Amino acid sequence: MPDLKDIPDNVRWKCAAECAAKLPALYEIAFRGALGNKYDALEQEIWMEIACMLRDVVHDCFLPVKDAREIARSIQSATIILFGPEYGGEVIELAGDNAVILVKRCPFLIHGHTLATEHEHVFSRCMALTLGSVSIML
């Protein structure tokens, strides 16, 4: 068996992130037909748990969380760590201590499109992940 250390980190990271980003579409293909509307509720629970993983990444990587802007940027960084560099966007600061994450590239949309899943369900995943991660970091 080859030594995994011989495979460059960026190659391993790309493979892992691409696999993680494809999983939602693959699960949707496999289970939505059998579960119907129940699928959405079950999937949201999963994304809320992944939000806890984002919190752990932010904490373990010592990313800043002292204000809304830092929380939003740290969530973006943690999302890239978990799902790869296909995720991209910007943070828009609002009045007071408020910020909005504007997603411009989403690996779930990219891979959902290549696997021919319905795009309408991606938004609920994103909202569960983002809102869940923000609420547990406050």
Side-chain angles (χ1 to χ4, degrees):
M1 183 164 108
D3 189 350
L4 292 178
K5 292 177 185 172
D6 293 337
I7 302 169
D9 288 343
N10 64 325
V11 172
R12 286 185 282 158
W13 183 46
K14 181 184 181 291
C15 292
E18 188 173 307
C19 178
K22 285 182 179 180
L23 281 175
L26 294 171
Y27 277 100
E28 183 172 340
I29 290 166
F31 297 118
R32 182 170 293 284
L35 296 172
N37 291 338
K38 198 173 184 183
Y39 181 85
D40 291 323
L42 293 169
E43 185 183 46
Q44 284 221 326
E45 289 180 36
I46 292 167
W47 287 101
M48 295 298 289
E49 187 59 35
I50 294 172
C52 294
M53 292 179 196
L54 278 180
R55 177 201 58 212
D56 294 344
V57 169
V58 168
H59 179 264
D60 294 347
C61 294
F62 303 102
L63 299 175
V65 292
K66 71 179 180 212
D67 58 29
R69 179 181 51 85
E70 285 187 353
I71 290 172
R73 287 187 177 154
S74 293
I75 287 171
Q76 285 185 305
S77 296
T79 301
I80 291 168
I81 290 169
L82 291 181
F83 298 108
E86 291 175 325
Y87 174 85
E90 66 181 90
V91 173
I92 300 171
E93 293 182 57
L94 302 175
D97 186 26
N98 296 297
V100 172
I101 299 172
L102 179 61
V103 177
K104 293 185 175 182
R105 289 185 327 272
C106 175
F108 308 120
L109 279 175
I110 293 165
H111 295 295
H113 178 69
T114 61
L115 295 169
T117 60
E118 298 176 22
H119 291 85
E120 64 198 47
H121 303 290
V122 174
F123 180 74
S124 63
R125 293 176 192 143
C126 184
M127 288 300 292
L129 179 66
T130 304
L131 293 177
S133 59
V134 168
S135 67
I136 60 178
M137 284 192 222
L138 297 176

